[in-house]
Amino acid sequence: MRKKIVAGNWKMNLNLQEGVALAKEINEVLKAEKPNCGVIVCTPFIHLASVAEVLDQNVVALGAENCADKEKGAYTGEVSAEMVKSTGAQYVILGHSERRQYYKETPEILKEKVLLALKNGLKVIFCIGETLEERESNKQNEVVKAELEGSVFNLSADEFKNIIIAYEPIWAIGTGKTATAEQAEEIHAFIRSIVAEKYGNEIAQDTTILYGGSCKASNAPELFAKENIDGGLIGGASLKCADFKGIIDAW
Ligand code: 3PY
């Protein structure tokens, strides 16, 4: 049985004190009422060590939003997968469209990041998704397939078991637009089918595929009701405990 997950992606929001306070609140609320799914909060690097101290990771696991494509050394300002892991984090988001778009992260760079994350014992939330233009020319399947082939389909089956896929249509990120549950289900089913082609049906059935892009408490129930949607990667709505809890409660 694949894992249902709701993961928060705080992006570049909240200072350290605000981040720790939010993590504490989420932890308390979920300890009091155990969720029906796995919950992860992915925070900026500077929050990781402090947030690790306040989370019971059996209830809320911790992840980073990025890691370097180099192992160690003279890369000023970078943070390695090993450093992320040493904070107590267990997950890392890689391939988010904001990283691809604003920081020019290519499939090759992402491939290196994925390998280093796995080598250091992190599980990867790997994001894929098409632009509006690609969707309008019906290229979404081609795009997500190429993104998987470019950065994660080189992995062995054992390695691939540590990958969570997050489908995030770029046109739905931070825009308030959400793919309809039917649109999302259609492409999630396609993604599962190409995972099955590559790694076989058993691994495909066990792979968690999250939906991301303006997912909130109001649309989460409809999205999560779909067979191939195993939860959400949540941007803005993960920045307030009540909003985030509202999505978690959709399971
Ligand atoms: C969003 O929901 O806006 C996201 O980008 C989640 O990663």
Side-chain angles (χ1 to χ4, degrees):
M1 261 298 273
R2 56 184 176 259
K3 233 180 149 181
K4 315 284 184 204
I5 290 174
V6 173
N9 174 12
W10 290 0
K11 307 194 180 183
M12 197 172 75
N13 294 296
L14 309 178
N15 66 29
L16 181 59
Q17 291 72 29
E18 291 165 343
V20 170
L22 175 60
K24 262 190 194 159
E25 193 183 355
I26 294 171
N27 195 64
E28 286 314 305
V29 165
L30 296 183
K31 261 174 90 169
E33 196 188 320
K34 239 177 170 296
N36 292 324
C37 63
V39 177
I40 306 168
V41 290
C42 297
T43 80
F45 292 133
I46 66 124
H47 296 65
L48 290 172
S50 307
V51 167
E53 281 179 19
V54 302
L55 289 184
D56 173 351
Q57 289 206 49
N58 295 315
V59 181
V60 188
L62 177 63
E65 299 172 14
N66 185 24
C67 70
D69 61 337
K70 304 286 191 297
E71 194 144 20
K72 66 188 299 182
Y75 301 102
T76 304
E78 286 295 297
V79 175
S80 71
E82 187 192 357
M83 291 170 179
V84 167
K85 180 72 183 179
S86 73
T87 66
Q90 303 182 44
Y91 294 85
V92 61
I93 298 174
L94 293 174
H96 195 283
S97 61
E98 288 152 12
R99 301 285 327 164
R100 294 180 193 259
Q101 189 182 347
Y102 306 139
Y103 301 96
K104 307 287 172 255
E105 293 191 0
T106 62
E108 294 71 33
I109 291 174
L110 292 170
K111 190 170 168 181
E112 290 307 312
K113 291 189 177 203
V114 169
L115 287 171
L116 286 167
L118 296 181
K119 184 175 165 194
N120 284 284
L122 294 166
K123 290 186 167 50
V124 174
I125 302 175
F126 189 75
C127 304
I128 55 176
E130 78 287 354
T131 62
L132 184 57
E133 200 183 353
E134 289 160 346
R135 164 70 59 170
E136 282 172 347
S137 45
N138 205 28
K139 292 214 173 96
Q140 62 274 15
N141 288 4
E142 223 176 282
V143 170
V144 297
K145 186 166 191 233
E147 287 176 331
L148 291 171
E149 285 175 347
S151 309
V152 293
F153 276 4
N154 56 301
L155 299 173
S156 68
D158 266 354
E159 288 168 331
F160 189 80
K161 288 178 187 162
N162 294 305
I163 303 288
I164 293 164
I165 297 172
Y167 168 67
E168 301 206 314
I170 296 168
W171 48 273
I173 295 179
T175 59
K177 287 186 189 150
T178 328
T180 63
E182 288 68 33
Q183 274 173 325
E185 169 61 16
E186 193 180 351
I187 193 153
H188 277 231
F190 171 74
I191 293 164
R192 200 175 305 287
S193 76
I194 54 176
V195 172
E197 266 170 39
K198 174 73 194 168
Y199 292 106
N201 199 42
E202 197 179 324
I203 289 182
Q205 287 307 322
D206 285 349
T207 300
T208 296
I209 307 178
L210 306 179
Y211 171 79
S214 302
C215 181
K216 37 191 182 289
S218 57
N219 57 24
E222 202 189 345
L223 287 159
F224 296 176
K226 296 292 181 194
E227 189 184 335
N228 287 290
I229 301 180
D230 306 316
L233 180 58
I234 317 300
S238 70
L239 295 171
K240 289 211 177 98
C241 184
D243 295 346
F244 194 47
K245 173 78 166 34
I247 297 170
I248 293 164
D249 286 346
W251 279 119

